Amino acid sequence: MFPDLDLPLADAINDFVDWLVRSYGDEFEAAANAVLFVLVRFEALLRDTPWWLILALIGALAFHATRRISATIGVVVAMLLIGVLGLWDLAMQTLALMLMATMVAILIGLPVGIAMALSGITRALMRPILDAMQTMPAFVYLIPAILLFGLGKVPALFATVIYAVPPLIRLTDLGIREVDKEVVEAATAFGATRRQTLGTVQLPLALPSIMAGINQTTMLALSMTVLASMIGARGLGQEVLLGIQRLDVGRGLVAGIGIVALAIVLDRITQGYGAKTDRRSAAS
């Protein structure tokens, strides 16, 4: 039997969180109110927009991404299925939270991934952090989010961003590092600065990898917004949760079908743009 050393790590973490709340509670509340202001209005925009207009926009986006009629029809049918099942309003709530989380994850993930690609020290420091973030159970992210921001949409957004951002960081780093060194050396030889080489050579060539990271981040954000219904995020995840609590198999299954349909829509669109950037990189 392993000796009981009784390392007080849990107590130390609790003390640190308590100190954060006591010292910076007002700042966390102000940040939460600002995020909630934007999120609520974005959600209201999606919910108030006529369903046929959203359907048309998503169809146009799917066709622009894939250039295939069959894929566009599939995406439109998936969205129609959500409406037919009576889940449209809940889907818009989930979509608003997921899109906000994905946008924040992109704003965080791209600069961090670029920094990792350009600095071996940054990469060495970030790798164990990313390993921990990707292997940590998703439910664990809900605990500090609740303690710092309370219940509702803001902690759900916070937890979703932390959970979804690692793949984008890793694939951005990988894409830039896999750019042919001879191409980078040629750009340098023609007098390009490090920033110009990054912006005009490395990032465009790494775009397929970055788009794959955005696709994975989008899917993870959707899965986490469902779990975040446990802390008041609402949306489709709330229907699944109510189905579990009330042992209502039909209600939970229908909500699950809606989640799958929404995931298919987002996956086809992001994969379509990823394939398009891949073809452009191959042609150049």
Side-chain angles (χ1 to χ4, degrees), residues 240-252:
V240 176
L241 186 61
L242 289 173
I244 294 172
Q245 292 173 341
R246 301 176 183 179
L247 298 180
D248 190 340
V249 179
R251 187 173 190 170

Side-chain angles (χ1 to χ4, degrees), residues 21-33:
V21 174
R22 289 195 307 270
S23 302
Y24 300 100
D26 293 338
E27 286 78 2
F28 282 120
E29 184 177 1
N33 290 335

Side-chain angles (χ1 to χ4, degrees), residues 25-218:
D26 293 338
E27 286 78 2
F28 282 120
E29 184 177 1
N33 290 335
V35 172
L36 186 62
F37 178 85
V38 176
L39 182 55
V40 167
R41 276 150 185 78
F42 183 48
E43 180 181 304
L45 176 64
L46 290 180
R47 296 174 70 181
D48 293 341
T49 302
W51 66 269
W52 52 266
L53 180 56
I54 290 181
L55 203 63
L57 291 174
I58 289 178
L61 198 62
F63 182 74
H64 185 263
T66 62
R67 295 296 179 182
R68 290 192 296 121
I69 296 295
S70 59
T72 304
I73 293 175
V75 166
V76 171
V77 169
M79 290 301 297
L80 284 173
L81 177 63
I82 293 173
V84 169
L85 294 175
L87 301 172
W88 187 269
D89 189 64
L90 294 173
M92 293 303 102
Q93 294 179 38
T94 298
L95 187 62
L97 179 59
M98 187 277 304
L99 290 178
M100 281 288 295
T102 301
M103 287 187 285
V104 174
I106 291 173
L107 291 175
I108 295 173
L110 284 179
V112 175
I114 292 171
M116 287 178 61
L118 299 181
S119 171
I121 296 176
T122 303
R123 189 166 186 263
L125 291 174
M126 287 300 301
R127 284 186 65 184
I129 297 174
L130 293 174
D131 290 340
M133 290 170 67
Q134 288 189 287
T135 54
M136 189 76 70
F139 289 100
V140 175
Y141 293 116
L142 302 179
I143 301 172
I146 294 172
L147 291 174
L148 296 176
F149 300 105
L151 295 174
K153 298 181 182 296
V154 174
L157 179 68
F158 170 82
T160 302
V161 170
I162 300 300
Y163 179 71
V165 75
L168 178 57
I169 296 175
R170 287 188 182 277
L171 287 171
T172 300
D173 169 41
L174 180 64
I176 294 175
R177 285 179 177 271
E178 285 188 339
V179 173
D180 193 340
K181 292 183 179 180
E182 293 183 357
V183 176
V184 177
E185 291 174 356
T188 305
F190 278 103
T193 64
R194 189 174 185 181
R195 179 175 296 181
Q196 290 171 335
T197 302
L198 175 66
T200 60
V201 177
Q202 291 174 295
L203 282 178
L205 292 177
L207 199 55
S209 180
I210 295 172
M211 289 301 301
I214 292 175
N215 175 265
Q216 291 189 24
T217 293
T218 304

